[in-house]
């Protein structure tokens, strides 16, 4: 068994297979120096919440080896020969290329931040945040005396997190976004609340704006970000314009790439080629509500993918039961979370969509610390089925999305949801949780 | 339509019926001075978190009247004549008794704290916490210069909350409990963690101890609580030894009382007598897991009961779909929550019980503010069905019970649960939520 990629997905597959069948020979190759690290923690290295990048590493290559997984760091899989059942591996330290035979191959090559080909991309101070070295480099750049102004390009989860951490570090931040609002994963009505939170944090926004290039000073250091709405002076820019699954050599070998651009698999994480599996950010997942393949790059899925593939390779039987697109992020004191389909995606998926928005609170009005929260429910008008939910609110609001995620997972109707016995006492919740009120108003 | 009892259950029934059919004549009688108040907030009046008892009132009698509900406070329903279809009502202000005919009667008489008949019960400083006047009286007593030491009798939710609020007010507190641990709603292993939290708060505990009486000084003021393990000097004692549904006149009239001691109803909240309904703390609910009637006195259920009865009385159709026994409380920094059946109740209900306990954390290890949390799952060994869950942990742990509650509600197996797409980002959760790890270890 060969694992191409030493991130959480690949190493979970390796560890699980080893656990189920310790007699398996497992070889894992990681192009970088780090294995099994929490990519979601990278922004928090920059904020200082996480002390060092090493804290993000759940298990080092040496620790994996001590547990019986033969992992080789700085070794990049560069090609597959499906007829010979071999992979080519470049050992970047030694400069050699070797060929290894496999019975099972796990593709766990991850995804990479998109680096648009723009004039001036090579200026010092232009970053993506994609890896441990990236986070460390941004952290250093923020600490430089010349750095006062930052631009974040892209207002998705990672972009917002970068805005937040750069603001925390005291920089003057401008957020640039091609679309008309932040967080397009949320519907526009809830997106407007996030825009308010961004402005309340003193951040300048430029929506409907595209970056056209980067101007540097004589030393080759970033001076300004050029955009379709004029230049923005800055010493630092972080491009958070999306990530792309790393499927190069898999596609070249003829392994099926799905409509999302990621490797297509079945629920067992099998690709179209016998003995070749795909897990984590290089691969698709089934969306349980739309029943369509989606690409979601999150450690939660990567870990589960790996576990499923590892079980199956070792002779067990496991299925990955799909995703809901659950997500959560923190911006200042504002918690932003969603699960299932938003209204537009639900319409695209063919549902007759109804939506309900309720302004509520995390605690009873009379209790100190109660924070405002908005819950939006997306339902199937024909039968009341809960298709998705979104929350934007103050401290304590975001994680309440999980009850809604379990409900969407179980295809509950809003009628059923409104009856739920959710936990209640004044330091934790009002007697009617906002989501229950929303379900009631949605017809429950 | 007559409503006996102006708490949340009765007034929800009245308000809902009025909304569905504004032509209904509705008369509501409340024995006390307050309607629609949040009894769960009473302890927090004593702590000072809630400024005044008035803050707990969601809607006053005058506000109800303004909305078309003819509510009469200080009027106690004292009897029913089921043949004549009338109730007797004592107007406590005027000292008169009147008879009112009804087509529909909603019994919403609530529950009362048990006041055991012990020697010295009439000493000043002996309290139960059952009503707004009780909370105000305890608040005053705590503020008296002579009050330094308090005893709380009973280590259930209310008892723990009173220990917490009296500790916050600076009193030296002793907790007396007949059983061998606090919170018998939780299994003993998790109960031990609560005991640790109680001791860490500087509170003295006396388990396996029964109160035998109260000693007063010459002025009739409490001096000591006498117990089977010796006297405890104290100026204040709060008895939190349970509550009893107020079913007196309903039982006398021949309305069926269930095995729990509360009024039996069907899912529509009908008693055994046509046109007579029962809602809130005076009545039973069906437990969805055990499929047995239970008594749970919580505002969440009271509100839903009332809404269901009101809908049905007004000609609509609604069912109360049962309870899970979800509960949550805060003790210091320790959050305590449960849903579904605990291990012993599950065994009594006839399940082949398996349990899994996992020590986890609210956030990734590397993230600041991560708190330890313990999750216990109770499962049906024969099919992996999740029967119940318990959480004891630090800040941010308790409300995670809701995802488990939705899972128990939907009769999920631990196998399904372990696959769930719960929201993840470092400021909110580790990549594997503790409950997911527990579900995996439980066989998921």
């Amino acid at each position: 068994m060969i694992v191409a990629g030493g991130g959480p997905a690949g190493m979970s597959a390796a560890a699980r297979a080893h656990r189920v069948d310790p007699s398996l020979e497992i070889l894992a190759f990681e192009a970088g120096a780090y294995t099994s690290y929490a990519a979601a923690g990278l922004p928090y290295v920059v904020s200082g919440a996480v002390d060092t990048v090493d804290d993000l590493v759940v298990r080092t290559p040496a620790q994996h080896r001590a547990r019986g997984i033969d992992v080789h760091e700085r070794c990049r899989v560069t090609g597959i020969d499906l007829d010979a059942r071999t992979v080519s591996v470049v050992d970047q330290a030694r400069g050699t290329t070797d060929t290894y035979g496999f019975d099972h191959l796990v593709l766990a090559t991850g995804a990479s931040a998109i680096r648009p080909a723009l004039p001036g991309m090579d200026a010092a101070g232009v970053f993506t945040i994609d890896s441990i070295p990236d986070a460390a480099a941004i952290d250093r750049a923020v600490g430089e005396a010349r750095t006062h102004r930052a631009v974040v390009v892209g207002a998705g989860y990672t972009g917002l997190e970068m805005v937040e951490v750069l603001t925390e570090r005291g920089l003057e931040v401008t957020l640039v976004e091609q679309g008309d609002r932040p967080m397009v994963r949320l519907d526009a009505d809830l997106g407007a609340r996030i825009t308010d939170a961004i402005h309340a944090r003193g951040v300048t926004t430029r929506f409907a704006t595209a970056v056209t290039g980067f101007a540097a000073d004589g030393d080759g250091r970033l001076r300004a970000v050029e955009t379709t709405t004029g230049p923005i002076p800055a010493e630092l820019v972080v491009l958070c314009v999306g990530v792309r699954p790393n499927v190069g050599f898999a596609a070249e070998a003829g392994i099926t790439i799905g409509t999302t651009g990621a490797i297509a698999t079945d629920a067992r994480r099998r690709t179209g080629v016998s003995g070749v599996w795909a897990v984590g950010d290089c691969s698709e997942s089934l969306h349980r509500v739309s029943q369509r393949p989606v690409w979601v790059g999150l450690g939660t899925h990567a870990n589960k993918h790996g576990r499923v593939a590892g079980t199956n390779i070792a002779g067990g039987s496991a299925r990955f039961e799909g995703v809901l697109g659950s997500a959560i992020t923190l911006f200042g004191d504002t918690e932003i979370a969603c699960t299932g389909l938003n209204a537009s995606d639900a319409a695209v998926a063919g549902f007759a969509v109804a939506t309900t928005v309720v302004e509520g609170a995390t605690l009873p009005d009379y209790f100190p610390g109660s924070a405002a929260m908005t819950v939006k429910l997306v339902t199937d008008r024909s039968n009341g089925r809960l298709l998705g939910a979104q929350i934007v609110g103050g401290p304590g609001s975001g994680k309440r999305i999980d009850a809604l995620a379990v409900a969407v997972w179980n295809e509950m109707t809003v009628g059923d949801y409104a009856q739920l016995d959710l936990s209640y006492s004044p330091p934790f919740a009002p007697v009617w949780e906002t989501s229950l009120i929303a379900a009631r108003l949605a017809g429950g």
Side-chain angles (χ1 to χ4, degrees), chain A:
Chain A
M1 168 180 173
I2 285 183
V3 178
M11 297 315 292
S12 288
R16 178 65 181 168
H18 178 69
R19 189 182 173 88
V20 174
D21 180 358
S23 74
L24 278 179
E25 266 183 63
I26 305 176
L27 255 176
F29 299 106
E30 164 56 36
Y34 299 91
T35 50
S36 304
Y37 73 91
L42 291 172
Y44 304 99
V45 172
V46 180
S47 74
V50 177
D51 283 341
T52 78
V53 290
D54 294 332
D55 291 344
L56 300 183
V57 177
V58 175
R59 205 161 284 157
T60 63
Q63 287 168 330
H64 279 298
R65 286 190 285 270
R67 287 166 167 253
I69 312 291
D70 189 16
V71 57
H72 297 251
E73 63 268 39
R74 297 196 174 84
C75 288
R76 182 185 295 277
V77 175
T78 54
I80 318 174
D81 183 332
L82 286 176
D83 298 323
R85 310 276 298 174
T86 59
V87 291
S88 306
V89 179
V90 174
D91 183 321
Q92 296 169 109
R94 294 192 294 133
T96 56
T97 301
D98 298 299
T99 300
Y100 297 85
F102 64 82
D103 50 353
H104 290 281
L105 171 63
V106 178
L107 300 170
T109 46
S112 297
I114 293 169
R115 289 182 65 87
L118 290 170
M121 269 299 282
D122 56 347
V126 178
F127 295 98
T128 55
I129 181 153
D130 198 30
S131 65
I132 283 185
D134 287 345
I138 296 172
D139 188 34
R140 278 193 304 274
V142 172
E144 285 174 18
R146 72 183 286 271
T147 308
H148 299 291
R149 294 165 300 185
V151 171
V152 173
V153 183
Y157 284 94
T158 307
L160 272 202
E161 285 164 6
M162 286 313 302
V163 169
E164 170 63 17
V165 302
L166 295 173
T167 304
E168 272 184 33
R169 287 288 294 272
L171 301 192
E172 191 182 303
V173 181
T174 302
L175 174 62
V176 175
E177 161 65 36
Q178 279 199 300
D180 62 350
R181 63 179 200 271
M183 287 288 191
V184 291
R185 289 281 309 284
L186 271 63
D187 293 319
D189 47 355
L190 267 72
R193 286 172 172 76
I194 302 169
T195 305
D196 292 346
I198 294 169
H199 292 157
R201 203 88 171 113
V203 172
T204 304
T205 51
R206 289 218 198 162
F207 294 111
T209 297
V211 173
T212 54
F214 305 95
D217 62 20
D219 294 347
R221 297 192 302 189
L222 181 71
R223 187 165 45 80
V225 176
E226 290 162 350
T227 79
T228 52
T229 57
I232 308 168
E235 294 76 49
L236 177 76
V237 59
V238 185
L239 301 170
C240 306
V241 296
V243 298
R244 191 176 282 146
N246 298 325
V247 301
F249 68 80
E252 284 164 22
I255 289 164
T256 305
I257 307 301
T259 50
T260 68
I263 301 169
T265 80
D266 66 7
R268 300 189 182 280
R269 309 306 306 169
R270 294 182 294 208
T271 68
V273 176
S274 172
V276 180
W277 312 72
V279 295
D281 291 3
C282 67
S283 64
E284 294 182 332
S285 295
L286 183 74
H287 196 291
R288 286 178 68 92
V289 183
S290 70
Q291 287 290 311
R292 296 178 188 190
V294 288
W295 179 87
V296 184
L298 261 184
T300 43
H301 308 318
N303 275 284
K304 291 194 190 87
H305 285 176
R307 198 176 150 80
V308 166
T311 300
N312 289 328
I313 290 169
S317 176
R319 293 167 53 87
F320 180 77
E321 300 292 355
V323 303
L324 300 173
S326 301
I328 189 167
T329 196
L330 183 65
F331 183 81
D333 280 341
T334 301
E335 303 185 358
I336 304 161
C338 64
T339 191
L341 298 178
N342 65 21
S344 47
D345 289 345
V348 168
F351 291 101
V353 175
T355 63
T356 309
V357 177
V358 171
E359 316 271 345
T362 55
L363 303 182
D365 294 340
Y366 61 78
F367 207 82
S370 181
M373 64 183 284
T374 304
V375 172
K376 177 168 184 168
L377 302 184
V378 177
T379 55
D380 181 336
R381 188 189 293 279
S382 71
N383 56 16
R385 178 181 161 197
L386 188 63
L387 302 173
Q390 298 159 49
I391 293 175
V392 176
S397 62
K399 253 294 178 184
R400 295 176 195 228
I401 202 72
D402 284 351
L404 289 153
V406 183
V408 173
W409 186 278
N410 285 286
E411 304 185 11
M412 289 183 85
T413 64
V414 284
D416 291 340
Y417 191 90
Q419 287 276 353
L420 279 172
D421 183 3
L422 301 181
S423 60
Y424 162 61
S425 78
F428 294 98
V431 72
W432 285 106
E433 278 274 4
T434 310
S435 67
L436 296 178
I437 297 171
R440 239 171 56 187
L441 293 179

